Amino acid sequence: MDIKINIDRRSNQAKVFYEYLKTLPFVEIEETRYNQETEKAIKEAKSGKATKTTLEDFRKDIYS
């Protein structure tokens, strides 16, 4: 069973609690670097779902 906890790490108590959680062997911390849409795009690109294009074709698509 997975449990998701959002911790606002701006307070000292939250920082200490977060650091404690990281020390527990049964806790897996998954931090996102970007918003959900960007993270999804990164995962798709890594899994090969992205379309390769040349810079010239990319510019044509943008400006046409």
Side-chain angles (χ1 to χ4, degrees):
M1 179 169 82
D2 293 339
I3 298 173
K4 181 178 178 180
I5 300 174
N6 292 321
I7 301 173
D8 182 355
R9 291 182 275 166
R10 290 181 283 188
S11 74
N12 285 336
Q13 287 179 319
K15 288 177 189 175
V16 170
F17 179 61
Y18 177 74
E19 291 302 319
Y20 168 70
L21 288 176
K22 288 179 9 182
T23 66
L24 299 174
F26 53 86
V27 174
E28 181 179 322
I29 306 286
E30 182 179 311
E31 294 189 55
T32 57
R33 300 170 290 180
Y34 309 105
N35 64 34
Q36 289 180 347
E37 186 176 324
T38 304
E39 287 290 339
K40 181 181 174 186
I42 291 170
K43 287 179 184 177
E44 287 178 357
K46 286 182 178 180
S47 68
K49 293 182 181 179
T51 304
K52 291 185 179 183
T53 187
T54 65
L55 180 57
E56 184 177 322
D57 289 340
F58 178 71
R59 286 180 177 161
K60 284 179 186 177
D61 289 341
I62 290 176
Y63 297 116
S64 59

